[in-house]
Amino acid sequence: VLGVSALPDNLAVGLLRHLKDPEASSPVVQRRGNQLTISESGLNIGDPLSMKRQLQISFSNLEEFETTFQADIQELSQNISNTIERKMEELAEKKDALGQQLKQILKDKLELHENWRSQSEDLIERIDDEKLKESSAQHTMEMNTLGNSFGSLMSKVDRMCSEKLSFDPNSLCLNWCKQSSPKEETKASRKA
């Protein structure tokens, strides 16, 4: 048994008919044949033997398509797997970079806070020293200088406490933004 692949295709069947029946090429026979043929697909629905052969050929075509389709699916599956693995590696690298960036931000922020504490402690000592010298003219000028330093330090601490770090999951980036300070929230709640 040769199987389905040994059967002739539609074109071969048509040629065999033409060779066996030369009248088949006449216009009357062609019109009658066209009534039995679905022209878009080239299927001849006239005789049962032809339909059987066409179905058998279609089985073969379907098997070939399935084999090719399975190979395509396997290739797509491998491409998907490779792409996801590559993206996971990229995300792992991004995670490490963001981790390092967070550590550096924390270190810098803590150093900035420690610097503020040190400046504030120095200012407290200077204020305590000025309390003891309340009666001199130089005391008034020094108090003005201390007042300016005090204002600067208070403004700086307000800015430091209003900074907030956020993470944007779409761009995988860290962003600084300003949050309302506790003083501003208290004022807003009093107005309401």
Side-chain angles (χ1 to χ4, degrees):
V1 176
L2 294 175
V4 179
S5 61
L7 295 173
D9 62 6
N10 291 341
L11 184 60
V13 170
L15 287 174
L16 286 174
R17 279 197 191 139
H18 181 65
L19 293 174
K20 288 181 182 177
D21 188 9
E23 294 177 1
S25 62
S26 74
V28 174
V29 173
Q30 281 183 345
R31 258 186 267 123
R32 189 178 48 177
N34 286 342
Q35 292 170 353
L36 301 175
T37 303
I38 300 172
S39 62
E40 290 86 22
S41 61
L43 297 177
N44 184 348
I45 57 173
D47 65 282
L49 184 61
S50 173
M51 289 188 298
K52 179 181 174 183
R53 285 185 179 152
Q54 288 180 27
L55 287 172
Q56 289 171 336
I57 291 169
S58 295
F59 274 108
S60 176
N61 290 342
L62 186 60
E63 284 180 25
E64 289 175 20
F65 171 77
E66 286 174 346
T67 303
T68 303
F69 190 71
Q70 286 177 353
D72 290 346
I73 292 295
Q74 288 176 345
E75 184 180 338
L76 286 172
S77 175
Q78 187 62 45
N79 285 342
I80 289 169
S81 180
N82 291 343
T83 301
I84 289 173
E85 287 293 324
R86 187 173 57 250
K87 291 290 183 185
M88 288 172 54
E89 289 172 4
E90 290 171 6
L91 287 172
E93 291 171 5
K94 185 67 172 179
K95 178 184 171 190
D96 292 343
L98 286 169
Q100 290 299 321
Q101 188 179 3
L102 280 173
K103 286 179 186 176
Q104 188 62 44
I105 288 171
L106 180 61
K107 180 183 174 198
D108 293 346
K109 191 73 164 157
L110 292 177
E111 284 178 7
L112 186 65
H113 292 183
E114 192 55 42
N115 186 24
W116 182 89
R117 284 186 187 93
S118 176
Q119 290 175 358
S120 295
E121 288 170 355
D122 289 345
L123 184 60
I124 290 169
E125 285 179 19
R126 287 174 53 200
I127 291 172
D128 285 342
D129 288 345
E130 283 304 311
K131 278 186 190 178
L132 300 175
K133 303 178 192 175
E134 286 185 21
S135 59
S136 72
Q138 192 177 12
H139 166 72
T140 307
M141 283 182 24
E142 185 63 27
M143 284 308 289
N144 287 339
T145 305
L146 292 176
N148 289 338
S149 295
F150 171 78
S152 174
L153 284 172
M154 293 308 292
S155 175
K156 190 174 185 180
V157 77
D158 284 344
R159 273 194 320 271
M160 288 188 308
C161 292
S162 69
E163 291 177 330
K164 181 177 168 101
L165 190 61
S166 65
F167 174 67
D168 181 359
N170 294 324
S171 65
L172 302 177
C173 291
L174 295 170
N175 300 309
W176 285 104
C177 58
K178 184 177 179 181
Q179 66 180 8
S180 57
S181 68
K183 290 178 187 178
E184 290 174 7
E185 288 176 9
T186 305
K187 287 179 187 177
S189 63
R190 286 183 190 161
K191 289 180 182 178

